[in-house]
Amino acid sequence: MLISVFAPSLLSLPGRPCGTDSWEATHCPLSCLPGEAALTALPQRTGAPTPHSCSLFSALQGPRYPHLESTALSPGPGQWPPPSLFLFQTLSPQKQAFILEVLSGCLEYRKLLTIVVDAFYMRDGQLCLWSDYNLFQVICYLATFQLEELGFQLFSNIVKSQPADKMHKFLRFFFNPLNLCSWIKDEWSLIYEMAHVKENWTDPLMRWQPEVQELIDQLERVLTNQLPLSKTKAKVTEPKQFNLTVPRPRAIPMPEPVPVVAKPRPVPRATYQSPQEQQVLELTKRRNRLKAEELLLRANLGEMRCAMPRKAPAQGSKKALRLQSPPRICKTLQLLFCRPSDDIPIKLNTAAILREGALYQRQVEKELQRVDKLVDGARDLSEFLEWQRKMQAKDYQEQRTASECRRLQGKLSHEEAVLARQRLLQENKQKADRKKEEQMAELTQQCAARRLQEERSMKELVEQVMEGHRNTQVAQMKLLKRRQQAVAFLTPKSRR
């Protein structure tokens, strides 16, 4: 808080509001130091300050920061100096030099610190407040550049003087070897040389990593042992019922007479019947279809009449043919052909005779070859083919049996699943019924207890009212006796 006097002229961090009343909490890197707690943690340097701190102090007052005297240390007209200026002036020169040294270091290495703190807010510190931005910058600067000079004990005291949860998160993030040796080192190497970064910053931080890990474990134990704040329960206001006159019950109004509505006209029957024109069209379509089917059947019967051999009609049978009834119409349309019988001789041409001769010759040659193979010792394939057919039939039967078995097993498992689901539903229903009965019994008991409590309270209230009436009557009797005594005492004196 002491360095906040240099706010308007020294610091302008990106992404932070400037010119506000709460500039100390958002801009000054050392505004996060907790006043006396942090100052007691500063190194008590005996004698004169070190040459490095003296040079920084003189540089802050010299040409490098010429605006310190004009803006921060000397307020303008009409401006009141901030309280931290008076607190800063009351400190010893060693502490003033240390504060200015930390301030100048934060300004000099602001790019490096911004890389780490911005990454912390993006990863592990998403729930941290932006007002603690400078707090993390100062801790990062002390850990990176001042840890060797301060010593681990003083650094630990400064860290423990801050909120434990914030320090635990930031130190765990910053001293993680995966972060230090990977992206932090790469980002810092973009600004400074890699050898310088590795030799002066990352390697010392890795050497201090075991001690810092013990400090992180201590902060974690503090967080786990920290008890939550006990909330005091506020006294609840108990409302009292007003003693109001019970209103008279309202009279039941007379019902309004139901209005008589005229009887509506019935729906005509034609609404639920198809129109007569549509019935006529359906009948006409049906007749036309029957006629078309009859014509098609006749055409099919007379199409192949040339293929049917006809016998010459005998004389005197013309009258019988005329009286013969016409063929009946069948529903199934079939074409009738005359199949020649075996007795009818068929005249073959030369090509047909040659084809039959060649076929017979091939069959004879095939049979002779089979006989020659049998004579040479070959086996008849008929037995093998018969055995193969039986084996194939057997395999097919086994496959069918196995598939049927699998189907039955699947069906059985499905039935078992259905039964299990039904049992589960039944058990759930029984549990729900039992739970409902228990709740109903509990509600009944609560209602009975509440009714008994109300009756007792009503009896007590009635007794209190009766006691008040009796006390009122006793007081009235006492007052009456006192008045009578006063009248009896004053009456003789008035007569005299």
Side-chain angles (χ1 to χ4, degrees), residues 218-278:
Q218 293 178 8
L219 294 175
E220 187 173 2
R221 286 194 294 271
V222 170
L223 292 176
T224 54
N225 297 331
Q226 187 176 3
L227 297 176
L229 298 176
S230 60
K231 296 183 180 179
T232 57
K233 188 175 181 181
K235 186 177 180 181
V236 182
T237 304
E238 298 179 357
K240 294 184 179 180
Q241 188 177 5
F242 292 101
N243 188 11
L244 302 176
T245 305
V246 180
R248 295 181 180 179
R250 294 183 179 181
I252 300 175
M254 293 296 294
E256 297 181 358
V258 180
V260 180
V261 184
K263 186 176 181 180
R265 294 170 54 184
V267 181
R269 296 182 180 179
T271 305
Y272 305 102
Q273 296 178 357
S274 58
Q276 189 176 3
E277 292 80 2
Q278 189 174 358

Side-chain angles (χ1 to χ4, degrees), residues 24-39:
E24 290 182 27
T26 56
H27 283 73
C28 183
L30 290 181
S31 63
C32 55
L33 293 178
E36 297 296 329
L39 292 176

Side-chain angles (χ1 to χ4, degrees), residues 220-424:
E220 187 173 2
R221 286 194 294 271
V222 170
L223 292 176
T224 54
N225 297 331
Q226 187 176 3
L227 297 176
L229 298 176
S230 60
K231 296 183 180 179
T232 57
K233 188 175 181 181
K235 186 177 180 181
V236 182
T237 304
E238 298 179 357
K240 294 184 179 180
Q241 188 177 5
F242 292 101
N243 188 11
L244 302 176
T245 305
V246 180
R248 295 181 180 179
R250 294 183 179 181
I252 300 175
M254 293 296 294
E256 297 181 358
V258 180
V260 180
V261 184
K263 186 176 181 180
R265 294 170 54 184
V267 181
R269 296 182 180 179
T271 305
Y272 305 102
Q273 296 178 357
S274 58
Q276 189 176 3
E277 292 80 2
Q278 189 174 358
Q279 296 179 1
V280 173
L281 289 175
E282 291 291 338
L283 183 60
T284 305
K285 287 181 181 179
R286 195 178 297 111
R287 290 177 180 176
N288 293 338
R289 185 174 182 81
L290 292 175
K291 288 181 180 180
E293 289 178 356
E294 185 177 357
L295 292 175
L296 178 62
L297 181 59
R298 289 179 180 177
N300 290 334
L301 290 176
E303 182 179 4
M304 297 297 177
R305 192 169 295 177
C306 61
M308 297 174 62
R310 297 183 181 180
K311 296 181 180 180
Q315 294 181 358
S317 61
K318 293 182 179 181
K319 187 176 181 180
L321 290 175
R322 292 175 182 175
L323 296 176
Q324 189 178 359
S325 61
R328 299 178 63 182
I329 300 174
C330 300
K331 293 184 178 180
T332 58
L333 304 178
Q334 297 179 356
L335 296 177
L336 301 178
F337 292 93
C338 181
R339 295 182 180 179
S341 62
D342 297 336
D343 299 336
I344 301 175
I346 299 175
K347 186 177 181 181
L348 300 178
N349 53 8
T350 305
I353 293 171
L354 293 176
R355 281 196 299 271
E356 286 185 1
L359 178 61
Y360 179 75
Q361 189 66 27
R362 284 195 301 271
Q363 291 177 357
V364 170
E365 290 177 357
K366 188 175 181 180
E367 187 67 21
L368 290 175
Q369 290 176 1
R370 187 179 68 83
V371 171
D372 292 339
K373 288 181 181 179
L374 290 175
V375 170
D376 293 339
R379 297 182 58 185
D380 191 6
L381 295 178
S382 59
E383 296 180 0
F384 173 74
L385 295 176
E386 183 66 21
W387 175 82
Q388 187 179 16
R389 186 181 60 79
K390 289 181 180 180
M391 289 296 103
Q392 289 179 354
K394 186 178 179 180
D395 294 341
Y396 178 71
Q397 188 66 24
E398 290 178 356
Q399 290 179 0
R400 289 192 59 185
T401 305
S403 63
E404 186 67 20
C405 182
R406 287 195 299 270
R407 187 183 68 81
L408 294 176
Q409 288 178 356
K411 190 174 182 181
L412 182 61
S413 61
H414 177 70
E415 294 293 335
E416 291 177 354
V418 171
L419 293 176
R421 181 176 178 81
Q422 291 178 357
R423 285 197 300 271
L424 182 60

Side-chain angles (χ1 to χ4, degrees), residues 163-180:
D165 54 344
K166 300 176 183 177
M167 295 296 100
H168 176 261
K169 284 184 180 180
F170 182 75
L171 292 178
R172 185 181 62 184
F173 169 79
F174 182 56
F175 281 91
N176 190 357
L178 297 177
N179 296 335
L180 273 176

Side-chain angles (χ1 to χ4, degrees), residues 27-214:
H27 283 73
C28 183
L30 290 181
S31 63
C32 55
L33 293 178
E36 297 296 329
L39 292 176
T40 55
L42 297 178
Q44 302 295 334
R45 304 177 183 175
T46 60
T50 59
H52 182 60
S53 61
C54 291
S55 62
L56 287 174
F57 183 80
S58 59
L60 282 171
Q61 303 297 332
R64 183 179 178 184
Y65 299 98
H67 51 280
L68 283 177
E69 298 181 357
S70 61
T71 57
L73 300 179
S74 59
Q79 295 181 357
W80 189 260
S84 55
L85 178 59
F86 298 107
L87 183 59
F88 179 79
Q89 292 175 356
T90 57
L91 297 176
S92 61
Q94 291 83 3
K95 295 181 180 180
Q96 292 181 6
F98 176 78
I99 293 174
L100 292 177
E101 181 180 355
V102 174
L103 174 61
S104 63
C106 290
L107 293 173
E108 183 178 0
Y109 300 103
R110 186 177 63 180
K111 293 182 179 180
L112 304 181
L113 304 179
T114 303
I115 290 171
V116 178
V117 178
D118 288 345
F120 169 72
Y121 271 93
M122 290 296 294
R123 297 185 182 184
D124 296 348
Q126 295 180 357
L127 301 180
C128 294
L129 299 176
W130 282 102
S131 59
D132 299 329
Y133 189 90
N134 297 323
L135 169 63
F136 299 129
Q137 274 195 340
V138 171
I139 297 299
C140 182
Y141 172 78
L142 294 178
T144 308
F145 304 96
Q146 295 289 333
L147 189 55
E148 297 286 345
E149 185 177 357
L150 289 176
F152 183 77
Q153 186 62 35
L154 292 176
F155 177 77
S156 177
N157 294 338
I158 294 175
V159 169
K160 290 179 181 178
S161 66
Q162 303 301 316
D165 54 344
K166 300 176 183 177
M167 295 296 100
H168 176 261
K169 284 184 180 180
F170 182 75
L171 292 178
R172 185 181 62 184
F173 169 79
F174 182 56
F175 281 91
N176 190 357
L178 297 177
N179 296 335
L180 273 176
C181 299
S182 59
W183 62 268
I184 293 179
K185 180 180 177 182
D186 297 338
E187 291 293 334
W188 286 359
S189 299
L190 297 176
I191 303 174
Y192 295 90
E193 294 182 1
M194 183 177 292
H196 179 73
V197 171
K198 185 176 184 302
E199 180 180 358
N200 297 330
W201 296 332
T202 57
D203 289 347
L205 289 175
M206 291 302 296
R207 287 196 300 269
W208 285 104
Q209 204 272 340
E211 289 81 2
V212 176
Q213 186 62 37
E214 294 179 2

